[in-house]
């Protein structure tokens, strides 16, 4: 009888070997076991069907089987830092916290609409143990992914999931496949010099920001839950030798896939081309259904799609002012990831993807791929222009639209006008008020913009362009614009305020922000009372973050 190589590790764990490992969540009598095979996350006839509102995890079919059946796993079962080869994953179990664990927040939408769980499950001990890495679902084998990549423009070699565990794949009642991952759940073979933990400070930001981006309509990972412990985690937040004690936290996050460009890069750099081809075919089959698997140009089609989607995603980021370096990032001395450089970093990433794919392409395909990459800039600027025209409420085509957008952005840069509120207040102000250059006090961002000597010139150009909108009215324009220009975003000072309170076990602002950011385009009384649409407080100017934030 053939035994898969991962089974020995699973049996050793299930039988209780290994001190400190998480226990199985529940006995086999209540477990909905996924059948073996490539579609193990789909229940076979007679197994528990996907249903809305499962109230306990024992009846919840989460499985790693589809990944284990497809890819080789690390032959070494021990959990210590090392260079790993000839595999996609290492089997490694989360490290439970030693102290008590507190559930800070959950996403009701993620639990109910993605994971088919009833919101009441959050009150169970099993759920708290599951989302904190204390227990795992029986038959779900936790995995740490091996990948490489570039950091600040230089090849960094093997990186991998150094503080994350992929704890299973779930296919919900809508037929959507989601991969669940704990972040901050302990050391793995890819931890390098790290401790495998995340702290409350960074975990609050990730939980809130991923959900905020989703409600802004931007593709992102999702966050299901956030827990905090009393375990001590030591961090040098700004890498200046000032080490402080913080509290360990874990986010349960979801994505359609956690594979990335570095997943292919590490295999190309290591010369593991057969495994690279297997991984790429899996990615295409699972996530790019429009590409035929028998198409000899499928890798070329894959690259073309990724180029287009990257251009679209970066343009969406820019349309809401999102950036990796929105506030001073002390880890980014060269400002490589500043907001104005994001499109260029996207191009850099795509060039590295192409480099990784080249061993799998023939000469003709390589040439075509290079041409596709050259078209990235045009795709990006086309989508950028489309999004910003929508933000400004202009309809149809006009040869001066690009200049109108660039003119406004230059005025905003010169006056340091607030990005979000400039566009939001343009959505709320009437054309008559603009025409008279009468800017009410509540439109503080436009008042800042109005200090520029060329503001009146831009307003004149803008009003002339709005007059060319066929079948439009000022009321329609403002209604249209308020649906694409948010009034509330997760600003750094808001996240910092929530973090500071959370450090004192006051999670009220985490909950408030979570609620408000679900409706970023609607005026909300609680948000107005909290000052979330007002000018940022003076102390916000001194805030800094780092890669660990």
């Amino acid at each position: 009888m053939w035994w898969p190589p991962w089974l020995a590790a699973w049996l050793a764990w299930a039988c209780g070997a290994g001190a400190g490992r998480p226990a199985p969540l529940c006995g086999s009598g209540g477990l909905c076991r996924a059948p073996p095979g490539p579609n193990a996350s789909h229940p076979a006839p007679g197994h528990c069907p996907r249903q809305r509102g499962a109230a306990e995890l024992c009846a919840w079919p989460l499985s790693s089987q589809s990944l284990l059946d497809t890819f080789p796993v690390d032959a070494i079962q021990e959990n210590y830092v090392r260079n790993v080869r000839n595999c996609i994953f290492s089997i490694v179990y989360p490290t439970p916290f030693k102290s008590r664990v507190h559930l800070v927040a959950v996403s009701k939408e993620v639990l109910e609409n993605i994971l088919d769980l009833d919101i009441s499950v959050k009150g169970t001990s099993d759920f708290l143990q599951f989302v904190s890495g204390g227990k795992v679902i029986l038959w779900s084998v936790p995995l740490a992914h091996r990948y490489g990549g570039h950091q600040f423009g230089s090849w960094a070699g093997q990186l991998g999931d150094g503080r994350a565990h992929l704890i299973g794949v779930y296919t919900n009642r809508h037929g959507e496949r989601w991969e669940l991952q704990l972040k901050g759940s302990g050391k793995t073979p890819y931890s390098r010099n790290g401790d495998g933990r995340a702290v409350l400070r960074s975990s609050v930001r990730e939980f809130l920001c991923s959900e905020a981006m989703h409600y802004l309509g931007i593709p992102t990972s999702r966050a299901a839950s956030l827990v905090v412990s009393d375990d001590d985690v030591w961090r040098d937040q700004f890498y200046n030798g000032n080490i402080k004690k913080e509290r360990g936290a874990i986010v349960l996050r979801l994505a359609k896939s956690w594979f990335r460009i570095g997943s292919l890069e590490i295999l190309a750099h290591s010369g593991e081309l057969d495994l690279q081809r297997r991984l790429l075919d899996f990615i295409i089959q699972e996530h790019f259904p429009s590409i035929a698997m028998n198409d000899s140009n499928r890798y070329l089609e894959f690259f073309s799609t990724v180029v287009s989607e990257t251009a679209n995603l970066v343009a969406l980021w820019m349309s809401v002012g999102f950036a990796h370096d929105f506030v001073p990032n002390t880890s980014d001395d060269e400002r490589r990831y500043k907001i104005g450089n994001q499109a260029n970093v996207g191009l850099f990433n795509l060039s590295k993807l192409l480099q990784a794919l080249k061993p799998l392409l023939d000469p003709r395909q390589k040439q075509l791929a290079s041409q596709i990459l050259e078209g990235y800039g045009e795709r990006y600027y086309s989508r950028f222009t489309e999004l910003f025209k929508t933000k400004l409420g202009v309809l149809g085509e006009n040869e001066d639209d690009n200049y109108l957008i660039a003119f406004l952005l230059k005025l905003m840069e010169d006056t340091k006008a607030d990005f979000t509120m400039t566009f939001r207040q343009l959505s709320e102000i009437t054309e008559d008020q603009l025409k008279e250059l009468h800017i009410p006090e509540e439109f503080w961002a436009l008042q800042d913009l109005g200090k520029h000597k060329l503001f009146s010139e831009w307003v004149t150009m803008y009003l002339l362009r709005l007059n060319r909108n066929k079948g439009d009215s000022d009321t329609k324009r403002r209604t249209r614009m308020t649906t694409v220009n948010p009034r509330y975003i997760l600003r750094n000072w808001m996240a910092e305020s929530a973090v500071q309170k959370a450090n004192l076990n006051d999670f009220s602002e985490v909950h408030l922000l979570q609620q408000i950011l679900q409706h970023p385009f609607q005026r909300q009384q609680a948000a107005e009372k909290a000052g979330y649409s007002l000018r940022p407080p003076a102390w916000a100017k001194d805030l800094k973050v780092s890669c660990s934030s």
Side-chain angles (χ1 to χ4, degrees):
M1 181 178 181
W2 178 83
W3 296 85
W6 56 266
L7 188 56
W10 185 89
L11 287 172
W13 161 79
C15 293
R21 285 182 176 175
L25 189 61
C26 46
S28 59
L31 180 70
C32 182
R33 177 182 171 184
N39 293 316
S41 56
H42 296 270
H47 287 76
C48 303
R50 299 298 185 275
Q51 55 183 328
R52 184 169 187 169
E56 58 180 27
L57 295 180
C58 288
W60 189 55
L62 182 72
S63 174
S64 310
Q65 193 71 43
S66 60
L67 298 172
L68 291 168
D69 284 347
T70 305
F71 302 114
V73 296
D74 187 0
I76 300 176
Q77 297 177 14
E78 290 77 12
N79 184 11
Y80 63 91
V81 175
R82 61 186 179 273
N83 286 321
V84 179
R85 291 185 60 87
N86 302 314
C87 68
I88 303 297
F89 296 103
S90 296
I91 296 176
V92 57
Y93 285 81
T95 303
F97 287 123
K98 298 177 181 178
S99 62
R100 69 180 180 92
V101 179
H102 176 76
L103 181 63
V104 174
V106 298
S107 169
K108 185 174 186 291
E109 184 194 5
V110 171
L111 291 187
E112 294 188 340
N113 295 337
I114 296 180
L115 298 181
D116 299 329
L117 293 170
D118 189 271
I119 189 63
S120 64
V121 77
K122 74 175 185 176
T124 65
S125 174
D126 277 348
F127 181 79
L128 182 60
Q129 290 294 310
F130 173 66
V131 300
S132 62
K135 293 183 179 180
V136 297
I137 300 289
L138 197 63
W139 293 105
S140 180
V141 180
L143 305 169
H145 176 40
R146 171 194 176 213
Y147 60 85
H150 290 75
Q151 293 182 327
F152 300 99
S154 300
W155 174 248
Q158 177 181 290
L159 298 174
D161 289 334
R163 54 176 177 170
H165 295 77
L166 196 163
I167 55 174
V169 180
Y170 182 74
T171 301
N172 62 23
R173 69 185 186 277
H174 308 297
E176 300 170 339
R177 177 188 180 279
W178 290 86
E179 296 181 1
L180 281 66
Q181 185 186 79
L182 296 176
K183 183 174 181 180
S185 43
K187 286 186 177 182
T188 77
Y190 311 100
S191 295
R192 294 180 286 170
N193 296 321
D195 57 15
R197 293 301 187 190
V199 295
L200 180 61
R201 162 174 48 87
S202 59
S203 300
V204 165
R205 290 175 182 274
E206 172 153 1
F207 180 86
L208 291 175
C209 190
S210 59
E211 289 300 281
M213 294 291 280
H214 167 73
Y215 289 108
L216 286 170
I218 297 176
T220 179
S221 59
R222 301 297 303 276
S225 64
L226 166 64
V227 299
V228 64
S229 73
D230 286 331
D231 281 25
D232 294 340
V233 178
W234 296 89
R235 285 290 182 270
D236 182 358
Q237 180 180 355
F238 298 114
Y239 310 106
N240 58 5
N242 186 18
I243 300 175
K244 293 183 178 179
K245 183 173 68 175
E246 302 190 52
R247 297 162 69 192
I250 292 177
V251 173
L252 172 58
R253 56 186 193 172
L254 292 72
K256 296 295 182 67
S257 174
W258 291 106
F259 291 130
R260 61 199 73 199
I261 291 174
S263 305
L264 298 170
E265 279 188 289
I266 192 69
L267 300 176
H269 274 263
S270 302
E272 301 169 42
L273 300 186
D274 289 342
L275 188 52
Q276 184 189 18
R277 188 176 288 105
R278 190 192 306 187
L279 174 58
L280 189 52
D281 283 341
F282 176 87
I283 291 171
I284 293 172
Q285 187 167 14
E286 287 286 343
H287 305 290
F288 296 80
S290 63
I291 301 177
M293 292 306 299
N294 60 358
D295 187 349
S296 61
N297 290 316
R298 63 185 181 279
Y299 299 157
L300 189 66
E301 291 297 320
F302 162 79
F303 182 66
S304 178
T305 303
V306 173
V307 169
S308 295
E309 291 300 319
T310 300
N312 178 60
L313 180 61
V314 177
L316 283 168
W317 289 350
M318 296 294 288
S319 74
V320 295
F322 172 79
H324 296 282
D325 193 21
F326 187 65
V327 294
N329 183 342
T330 57
S331 304
D332 186 16
D333 296 330
E334 299 177 0
R335 294 184 65 86
R336 176 179 177 81
Y337 303 110
K338 64 181 181 180
I339 188 167
N341 204 36
Q342 290 191 121
N344 291 331
V345 172
L347 178 61
F348 175 87
N349 293 342
L350 291 169
S351 69
K352 297 307 175 185
L353 173 59
L354 177 55
Q355 184 177 335
L357 293 177
K358 279 185 176 179
L360 308 182
L361 305 177
D362 62 34
R364 181 189 65 86
Q365 291 171 333
K366 291 178 184 177
Q367 182 178 6
L368 291 173
S370 295
Q371 294 174 1
I372 291 170
L373 185 61
E374 290 175 0
Y376 164 80
E378 182 178 346
R379 297 186 190 192
Y380 166 74
Y381 283 112
S382 175
R383 182 64 172 137
F384 179 95
T385 301
E386 177 186 353
L387 290 168
F388 275 81
K389 285 175 61 177
T390 303
K391 290 176 71 66
L392 286 174
V394 300
L395 304 175
E397 301 295 329
N398 186 279
E399 60 182 8
D400 294 328
D401 285 344
N402 286 337
Y403 181 72
L404 180 71
I405 296 168
F407 194 172
L408 173 61
L409 294 177
K410 177 59 177 173
L411 298 186
M412 292 169 63
E413 179 182 4
D414 289 349
T415 58
K416 294 181 170 57
D418 186 89
F419 182 94
T420 299
M421 294 310 292
T422 293
F423 283 100
R424 179 67 186 199
Q425 290 168 10
L426 281 173
S427 309
E428 297 176 349
I429 197 168
T430 67
E431 289 186 27
D432 287 341
Q433 288 172 318
L434 272 179
K435 188 182 300 181
E436 298 171 4
L437 295 179
H438 174 65
I439 310 297
E441 186 176 350
E442 64 178 298
F443 297 143
W444 53 269
L446 292 184
Q447 286 190 335
D448 289 347
L449 194 68
K451 296 175 183 178
H452 201 289
K453 63 181 180 181
L454 298 179
F455 177 65
S456 61
E457 181 179 335
W458 181 85
V459 168
T460 299
M461 181 183 299
Y462 179 49
L463 293 174
L464 286 174
R465 179 62 181 88
L466 291 178
N467 288 335
R468 297 192 181 99
N469 286 350
K470 294 182 179 179
D472 202 17
S473 68
D474 192 41
T475 300
K476 289 180 180 179
R477 171 194 68 85
R478 285 184 286 146
T479 300
R480 193 168 62 245
M481 289 175 64
T482 54
T483 64
V484 296
N485 291 309
R487 186 169 178 87
Y488 314 109
I489 60 168
L490 182 62
R491 297 175 181 271
N492 190 45
W493 73 266
M494 293 155 60
E496 183 66 19
S497 177
V499 166
Q500 293 300 327
K501 291 178 182 177
N503 284 333
L504 300 174
N505 289 323
D506 176 0
F507 305 110
S508 59
E509 192 154 19
V510 173
H511 299 151
L512 176 63
L513 284 169
Q514 183 185 5
Q515 175 185 347
I516 286 169
L517 295 171
Q518 291 179 20
H519 307 283
F521 303 101
Q522 301 175 15
R523 185 186 290 262
Q524 301 172 57
Q525 183 176 357
E528 297 301 308
K529 183 178 179 180
Y532 291 159
S533 65
L534 298 179
R535 192 184 299 276
W539 58 265
K541 296 179 181 179
D542 298 322
L543 283 178
K544 293 183 178 181
V545 297
S546 68
C547 288
S548 71
S549 299

